[in-house]
């Protein structure tokens, strides 16, 4: 298989690498981090961040692995946690931030949701909410967005770059560098990807090199950390607070789930129609649960002060026992509300795996 370097030649390859660094920022913070003996990295994203289809046999070496090697080469010990989950977007990133990133206290967070997130206003709001949530952590990390593209050229790179400049994030964007070469015919698409957009291992190495270059250029620029600005969107999800499922979902029990990052997953007890019940001042309710193609998964109704607002289902024809995050309640005004999640009538013996729930 031809590599990117072989297809482009050294000069064009290096130009594409340079063009992939689309914002430099937060250099003073990165300088402090690089003076540490140990650097803590966290990765938020979807299937690309875990190397899906990076090799012909399935999963392969991915850009988080290559990036770790760059830090090791620079003489740094690395504590790295890859929290990416296939098929997810920024809403899942926010839930994982609350569940895991806060406890991890990373120095640098890499965020890759550019082809899974929506490009209309709700996508912008979710992305900005995630940025603000990360940048408001007690130990503020350097956040580095990573933007890729799919076969059709779809990417959220444009608005991610807008926010990178607004919030002071170093950023890497391949839509700006490699995709024009594919459009011009200088780079065959199958050298970069064989499917809808998952890079080969060689593409992952290119991404890691671009991230490392963005870090080095940001350090050279030595810009200070920007204060958190007022949100451009409503950023309604940035204040999400986790619900204590042990208290609010008493008809569930702890269970194991194949994603090791979710030890708090709970399973609805057979025979019970109640999934969760709580009282809070809120306008938004977000639920993270497991989607499956098994017909034994229940549908759930979302009730607010005795009225049905909507619902969701643990069954999906295309589910593969994958985590799914959904805003199941979105009201314009924050009020004290009594919320009940209950199964459809007759579904009491069907299963539901609940990973987390949060409100704001």
């Amino acid at each position: 298989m031809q590599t990117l370097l072989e297809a482009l030649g050294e000069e064009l390859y290096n130009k594409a690498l340079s063009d992939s660094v689309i914002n430099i920022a937060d250099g003073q913070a990165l300088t402090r981090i690089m003076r540490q003996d140990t650097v803590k990295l966290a990765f938020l994203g979807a299937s690309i961040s875990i190397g899906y289809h990076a090799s012909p046999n399935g999963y392969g070496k991915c850009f988080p692995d290559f990036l770790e090697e760059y830090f090791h080469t620079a003489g740094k010990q690395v504590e790295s946690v890859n929290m990416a989950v296939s098929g997810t977007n920024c809403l899942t990133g926010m839930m994982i931030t609350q569940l895991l990133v806060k406890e991890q206290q990373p120095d640098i967070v890499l965020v890759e949701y550019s082809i899974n997130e929506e490009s209309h206003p709700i996508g912008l709001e979710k992305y900005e909410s995630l940025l603000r949530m990360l940048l408001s952590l007690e130990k503020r990390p350097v956040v580095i967005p990573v933007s890729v593209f799919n076969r059709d050229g779809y990417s959220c790179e444009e608005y991610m770059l807008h926010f990178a400049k607004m919030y002071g994030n170093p950023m890497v964007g391949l839509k700006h560098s490699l995709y024009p070469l594919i459009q011009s015919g200088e780079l065959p698409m199958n050298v970069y990807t064989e499917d809808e957009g998952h890079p080969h291992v060689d593409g992952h190495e290119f991404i890691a090199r671009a991230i490392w270059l963005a870090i080095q250029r940001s350090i050279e620029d030595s810009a200070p950390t920007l204060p958190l600005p007022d949100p451009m969107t409503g950023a309604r999800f940035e204040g999400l607070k986790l619900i204590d499922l042990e208290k609010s979902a008493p008809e569930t029990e702890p269970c194991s789930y194949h994603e090791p990052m979710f030890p708090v997953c709970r399973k609805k007890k057979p025979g019970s129609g109640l999934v969760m019940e709580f009282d809070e001042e809120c306008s938004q309710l977000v639920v993270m649960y497991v989607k499956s193609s098994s017909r034994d998964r229940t549908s759930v109704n979302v009730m607010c002060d005795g009225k049905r607002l909507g619902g969701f289902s643990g069954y999906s024809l295309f589910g593969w026992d994958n985590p799914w995050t959904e805003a199941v309640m979105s009201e314009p005004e924050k009020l004290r509300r009594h919320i009940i999640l209950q199964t459809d009538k007759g579904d009491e013996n069907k299963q539901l795996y609940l990973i987390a729930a949060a409100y704001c």
Side-chain angles (χ1 to χ4, degrees):
M1 181 184 295
Q2 196 177 32
T3 66
L4 286 171
L5 181 58
E6 290 168 343
L8 295 175
E10 186 174 355
E11 183 177 350
L12 191 51
Y13 180 95
N14 288 334
K15 182 180 184 304
L17 193 64
S18 179
D19 289 345
S20 296
V21 180
I22 57 177
N23 201 51
I24 55 174
D26 224 354
Q28 292 181 9
L30 285 167
T31 299
R32 290 194 299 272
I33 290 167
M34 292 304 292
R35 287 174 180 156
Q36 301 169 186
D37 293 331
T38 301
V39 177
K40 299 177 75 172
L41 303 176
F43 297 87
L44 291 174
S47 54
I48 288 176
S49 290
I50 55 176
Y52 182 69
H53 274 192
S55 71
N57 298 323
Y59 291 91
K61 191 172 181 180
C62 55
F63 77 85
D65 301 320
F66 284 110
L67 188 61
E68 282 186 51
E69 292 177 359
Y70 279 105
F71 278 98
H72 286 144
T73 301
K76 304 299 174 187
Q77 297 296 315
V78 178
E79 293 180 12
S80 178
V81 181
N82 194 334
M83 304 177 188
V85 181
S86 293
T88 59
N89 60 26
C90 294
L91 208 53
T92 296
M94 283 181 266
M95 298 296 274
I96 292 175
T97 296
Q98 294 298 316
L99 287 167
L100 300 168
V101 178
K102 287 172 67 174
E103 181 180 349
Q104 177 72 14
Q105 295 188 25
D107 299 303
I108 301 173
V109 180
L110 287 297
V111 177
E112 175 271 309
Y113 290 112
S114 57
I115 59 176
N116 283 38
E117 193 49 84
E118 301 156 291
S119 59
H120 55 68
I122 185 62
L124 274 71
E125 186 167 20
K126 286 190 291 182
Y127 181 75
E128 186 177 22
S129 295
L130 173 59
L131 273 185
R132 294 180 66 84
M133 183 181 288
L134 289 168
L135 295 173
S136 298
L137 293 175
E138 184 177 355
K139 180 184 176 183
R140 176 170 171 162
V142 173
V143 177
I144 304 179
V146 177
S147 171
V148 291
F149 55 88
N150 69 10
R151 185 171 286 272
D152 296 325
Y154 178 80
S155 176
C156 295
E157 185 168 303
E158 185 177 349
Y159 75 66
M160 290 171 69
L161 178 57
H162 174 84
F163 286 122
K165 293 180 181 296
M166 178 176 172
Y167 284 89
N169 310 132
M171 182 173 170
V172 165
L174 271 62
K175 174 73 180 289
H176 187 78
S177 58
L178 289 186
Y179 191 68
L181 299 176
I182 291 171
Q183 287 180 302
S184 69
E186 294 170 278
L187 176 64
M189 177 68 84
N190 64 2
V191 173
Y192 175 72
T193 180
E194 291 286 355
D195 62 8
E196 292 305 308
H198 297 94
H200 297 307
V201 170
D202 183 54
H204 280 278
E205 184 177 15
F206 181 91
I207 293 169
R209 290 186 68 179
I211 294 168
W212 189 250
L213 184 58
I215 290 172
Q216 299 309 308
R217 286 186 179 175
S218 294
I219 289 173
E220 290 170 7
D221 185 64
S222 194
T225 298
L226 295 180
L228 203 64
D230 293 333
M232 186 189 81
T233 67
R236 78 186 88 166
F237 300 108
E238 70 168 305
L240 279 175
K241 298 178 182 178
L242 291 176
I243 295 169
D244 185 340
L245 296 182
E246 191 171 355
K247 291 181 179 179
S248 298
E251 294 301 312
T252 62
E253 55 193 5
C255 64
S256 60
Y257 175 57
H258 73 274
E259 293 282 354
M261 68 177 68
F262 302 127
V264 296
C265 188
R266 299 183 70 87
K267 179 181 177 181
K268 186 183 71 66
K269 294 178 182 178
S272 175
L274 179 66
V275 175
M276 189 168 64
E277 183 174 12
F278 68 97
D279 290 274
E280 288 291 350
E281 185 177 328
C282 59
S283 63
Q284 313 295 316
L285 175 63
V286 175
V287 176
M288 189 175 185
Y289 58 100
V290 178
K291 284 274 193 184
S292 172
S293 58
S294 172
R295 292 282 186 179
D296 70 352
R297 300 303 170 92
T298 186
S299 294
V300 177
N301 296 297
V302 180
M303 310 294 294
C304 176
D305 298 328
K307 297 180 181 179
R308 186 181 186 277
L309 293 182
F312 60 95
S313 177
Y315 166 77
S316 170
L317 180 63
F318 303 104
W320 69 93
D321 285 335
N322 56 299
W324 185 256
T325 308
E326 190 171 344
V328 299
M329 182 187 81
S330 185
E331 295 293 298
E333 191 175 1
K334 186 175 284 190
L335 298 171
R336 186 77 178 178
R337 304 177 192 274
H338 181 67
I339 309 293
I340 297 177
L341 272 59
Q342 60 187 32
T343 68
D344 276 352
K345 191 173 182 180
D347 275 8
E348 291 84 359
N349 286 317
K350 291 187 176 182
Q351 296 178 348
L352 179 75
Y353 291 88
L354 189 61
I355 298 172
Y359 70 91
C360 62

